[in-house]
Amino acid sequence: MEKLRVLVVDDEPGIRSGVIRILKNYTIGFPFMEEDFSFEMLEAETGEKALEIINNDGADIVLLDNKLPGIQGIEVLEKISKMRLDTAVMMITSYASLDIAVKATNFGAYNFVPKPFTPAELKSSIESISKHLYLKRMTSKMKEEGKQIRFQFLSVLSHELKSPLNAIEGYLKIMEDKQVGENIDDYMSMINRSLLRIKGMRNLIIDMLDLTRLESGKKTRNLQKVDLNYLANMAIDTIKPLAIQHNIKIITEIDEDVTITADLDEIEIIFNNLLSNAVKYNLENGEIHFIVKRNNLGIEIVVTDTGIGISDKDLPKLFGEFSRIKNSETRNISGSGLGLSITKKMIELYNGSIEVKSKPGEGTTFKVIIKS
Amino acid sequence: MLKEKKLVLIVDDDLDYLFQTKHHVESFGFDVITAENVKDAISVLTQKPDLAILDLMMETQDAGFVLAYKIKKRYPDVPVIIATAVTAETGLNFHLETEEDKNWIKADLYLEKGIRSDQLHREINKLLKL
């Protein structure tokens, strides 16, 4: 069993002994880890003493009170961050002022645990900090071994996955306490919102898998003769139910004979992403023009909608990862923020190009060229 | 004696968080007005709230700071809470490196999103001196 050294820095003996009692016999296991973590507890009543212990013996996790008799917690944190140690610091404090929070974040504090806390809250914070520490060490090990890992991407991803979980958890807590009544009907809107957030999360996971497969290069591309006319009509069938719900008309202009050498899955993803955007960002009773034809450059795919459009300011952000355009018109539209980024990468596999023209309030046109 | 209810302004672009926070704050016995973005928040500011709870990342990463600044300029005595899910865990941070930045950002309290509702209640009462 791997032991993590936890240093509790607080001038109140009661807090120190309480934390030690809670964590002394606590162990954590994660499915992705071979060994469980247990904790070796150390304590210090001042910041000076804490720094001495860290200097001499080291510590993996520091639980740091901000209000201390000598130097303050935030200064201890600053010194730890300057030492560039592999130590995760958690501030245990009443809510800090913005100034301290900003400082603490800049000095790399992992999080804040508000006082007073329950044993369960402390354990869950320790669980998340242990996981963070483990992942951080794994990441730097992988980097040393020359394995690339997109840490920033994973961080944003975890944020994107966390917010629906928070929303759903919040609703469940309200239901658990029966806060708005005894009748299940009183909770219907909360249930529906929860289902919607789950759906969004599922889409994000699907998109993420597409992206991972694409980038790992592990998936062998299965290049074969594919009939774009057939695939285009399949994509229309997929999106039709949603289009009908919003009374959106799909007008098509698809060449009869457009057979190219390509990977079926990739073409499907390109068609599906373009068409589903054209429906999602359209208006009620709108129209979509969907053109697939061969020209002298290759295959041209054009999808035009009569939707809300995109402002010049937002256009450059469009193909970035997790770059959902946020405004009052898009707030009810669910999306992972990955679709167009994936589409663009797919198109690049064919030495192709994608361009976009848009006018707010009038609509958007995506034009794709695929070399064949 | 019937005392007038205090008014709390909540601004967040996550509809679910907005709904849940409103629900909790109303259950503490306050009146609530909500807005989903900076623009809407400013338009409801004609009515002076007793306290404001703002999300940090809305249209832009620092929309909450901008709004806090505007509220403080108009009503210097209204306490402002900035709530955010941004922590070291997400790999993002505030990017407030300069003293200049720190000087114009005025919030009375910084809260992590997802705190227990009784803690939120305590913090609000503290700021409203109840």
Side-chain angles (χ1 to χ4, degrees), chain A residues 95 98 101-102 105-106 109-110 116 121 152 155 159 162 167 170-171 174 179-180 193 197 326 331-332, chain B residues 13-16 19-20 23-24 36 58 88-90 92-94 96 105 109-111 115-116 119 123:
Chain A
Y95 291 113
L98 181 67
V102 167
T105 313
N106 283 342
Y110 174 70
E121 284 171 327
Q152 183 67 26
S155 316
H159 183 77
K162 237 173 67 181
Y171 285 129
I174 292 173
Q179 288 184 26
V180 299
R193 285 299 306 179
R197 296 301 291 252
K326 280 187 180 178
R331 69 183 174 81
N332 282 326
Chain B
D13 65 343
D14 183 320
L15 291 180
D16 297 301
F19 173 87
Q20 290 167 14
H23 169 82
H24 292 305
E36 289 166 25
M58 293 183 282
E89 188 189 353
T90 59
L92 301 166
N93 67 32
F94 291 107
L96 289 181
I105 291 161
L109 193 65
Y110 158 91
L111 283 187
I115 68 156
R116 290 203 316 257
Q119 283 173 339
E123 296 302 332

Side-chain angles (χ1 to χ4, degrees), chain A residues 59-128:
Chain A
D60 297 300
I61 299 172
V62 180
L63 302 183
L64 186 59
D65 185 19
N66 187 45
K67 280 212 182 89
L68 292 168
I71 61 170
Q72 296 293 289
I74 194 87
E75 294 166 69
V76 177
L77 175 64
E78 186 181 356
K79 291 210 163 77
I80 294 174
S81 107
K82 280 201 180 122
M83 289 190 255
R84 303 199 165 277
L85 297 171
D86 189 13
T87 301
V89 180
M90 187 153 95
M91 304 287 290
I92 33 174
T93 178
S94 321
Y95 291 113
S97 68
L98 181 67
D99 192 40
I100 291 190
V102 167
K103 256 192 201 154
T105 313
N106 283 342
F107 291 148
Y110 174 70
N111 64 0
F112 295 83
V113 181
K115 267 203 277 197
F117 48 79
T118 64
E121 284 171 327
L122 179 65
K123 282 180 181 167
S124 102
S125 300
I126 286 288
E127 185 182 326
S128 104

